[in-house]
Amino acid sequence: MNDSLTPPAASNEDEAILAFTPAPTCGRADGWTARRQTDFIHALAVMGTVTRACKAVGMSRQTAYKLRERPEAADFARAWDAALMMGYDRMFSMAMDRALNGVTRPRYYRGRQIGTITRPDFRMAMAALAEPPEPPQRRPKLTE
């Protein structure tokens, strides 16, 4: 089991799936630059949630969804969907690993660690199995 905080290295296949043409922007340095869009997609593939990926690149969820809905950002939206599925697959894999191989926790007696114990963690597996994700869809626009 990999308990490190470093994300797994992306394979060439993953890089090919996540490759996209960044949406054109207005040129603001603090906006959704091409670099920030690419970093967001990679963060989304690792973290699996839009909120955390936005926080990682220093942008808000609202501006991310606005960018996604733009007609010239169709390739960005496709990469977004692929990254979300990759993130879900990664989280599901980790949950199953914890359920099958267990989680190691320290054991204490009178304030001192005396050993460790490994037990399966079925809560994450049950949560992952309870409701598989729906395929990503475009949200309908409220006004046209």
Side-chain angles (χ1 to χ4, degrees), residues 6 20-21 32 35-36 51 55 59 68 83 91-93 104 114 117-118 123 125 132 134 137:
T6 58
F20 71 102
T21 305
W32 281 99
R35 172 64 190 244
R36 202 167 264 148
T51 302
K55 189 174 183 179
M59 299 298 286
R68 179 188 166 92
M91 292 298 142
F92 184 82
S93 172
T104 303
I114 58 168
I117 187 166
T118 302
R123 291 175 297 159
E134 295 182 23
Q137 300 175 5

Side-chain angles (χ1 to χ4, degrees), residues 9-19 42 78 82 86 89:
S11 68
N12 290 338
E13 183 179 326
D14 290 348
E15 289 294 329
I17 291 170
L18 296 178
H42 288 279
R78 181 208 47 81
M86 288 173 69
D89 290 345

Side-chain angles (χ1 to χ4, degrees), residues 77-124:
R78 181 208 47 81
W80 178 318
D81 294 342
L84 266 180
M85 290 309 293
M86 288 173 69
Y88 172 77
D89 290 345
R90 182 173 170 272
M91 292 298 142
F92 184 82
S93 172
M94 288 173 60
M96 290 298 113
D97 181 53
R98 289 179 75 153
L100 298 173
N101 299 323
V103 178
T104 303
R105 294 193 173 114
R107 300 295 292 180
Y108 293 94
Y109 180 72
R110 294 188 178 182
R112 298 184 69 188
Q113 184 175 348
I114 58 168
T116 59
I117 187 166
T118 302
R119 288 192 176 157
D121 184 5
F122 293 115
R123 291 175 297 159
M124 281 185 64

Side-chain angles (χ1 to χ4, degrees), residues 2-60:
N2 182 7
D3 285 333
S4 70
L5 297 176
T6 58
S11 68
N12 290 338
E13 183 179 326
D14 290 348
E15 289 294 329
I17 291 170
L18 296 178
F20 71 102
T21 305
T25 58
C26 63
R28 288 181 55 159
D30 64 343
W32 281 99
T33 62
R35 172 64 190 244
R36 202 167 264 148
Q37 291 177 45
T38 303
D39 290 347
F40 170 77
I41 294 297
H42 288 279
L44 190 57
V46 171
M47 297 177 184
T49 65
V50 175
T51 302
R52 288 183 181 166
C54 285
K55 189 174 183 179
V57 297
M59 299 298 286
S60 70

